[in-house]
Amino acid sequence: MTLPISVIGFFCEDIREEKSGGTTILGVMPDSANLPPLPPGTAAGTLQLVPKLCIYLRASFDPQSPPTGVTCTLLLQDGTRQALAIFEDALIARGAREAIEIGSPIAVVIGRVEMVPFKALPGQVRVEVTVGDVTYIAAAINF
């Protein structure tokens, strides 16, 4: 069985678009990132600011049957869910069209998110991608 879409992602410090059309990814983060210790006497659960947190996502799919209705959601440590407009139908359709034009067996689209600053709490942050009734965890990081 072929999945309708394959999505990989990771958290990093910065994503830069180069003049050549390429992308440079800086500071790819491990699955667990340490927050700096809070000053003595700081209340538990106090937000800490991470100057910049980026998410890089890459989706691959069959250009002959591109998925539609793909949603991306950011799940924060406190349970908050934020919709991310990354893999909209128009982007996926364009990726499929371009793959067909060059004769590629797979289509690829790239998504990125920058959060400046990012308010961090201890716990897990993850990105989920849903296609139809199937949800994939595309990226996760523990603080």
Side-chain angles (χ1 to χ4, degrees):
M1 175 183 147
T2 302
L3 297 175
I5 192 169
S6 170
V7 181
I8 61 166
F10 50 82
F11 290 86
C12 58
E13 294 176 5
D14 199 8
I15 304 168
R16 297 185 184 162
E17 299 299 323
E18 302 297 337
K19 289 180 183 177
S20 65
T23 301
T24 299
I25 299 164
L26 302 170
V28 174
M29 296 182 171
D31 294 338
S32 294
N34 293 322
L35 291 172
L38 292 169
T42 303
T46 299
L47 289 173
Q48 291 184 263
L49 294 180
V50 175
K52 185 176 190 179
L53 183 65
C54 298
I55 305 166
Y56 180 88
L57 297 169
R58 176 185 168 110
S60 304
F61 53 90
D62 180 347
Q64 300 297 332
S65 55
T68 58
V70 177
T71 61
C72 297
T73 305
L74 179 67
L75 284 79
L76 298 172
Q77 303 94 317
D78 64 0
T80 302
R81 301 173 65 85
Q82 294 180 357
L84 302 174
I86 297 178
F87 298 130
E88 295 175 334
D89 288 349
L91 175 64
I92 290 177
R94 187 178 80 221
R97 194 171 47 254
E98 290 173 357
I100 290 169
E101 287 172 2
I102 64 169
S104 177
I106 61 168
V108 175
V109 292
I110 304 295
R112 62 184 260 184
V113 175
E114 291 183 359
M115 298 172 284
V116 181
F118 178 73
K119 298 173 184 174
L121 287 169
Q124 185 179 86
V125 176
R126 67 181 180 205
V127 178
E128 293 182 349
V129 176
T130 302
V131 182
D133 60 353
V134 179
T135 299
Y136 306 90
I137 297 174
I141 189 168
N142 295 304
F143 286 103

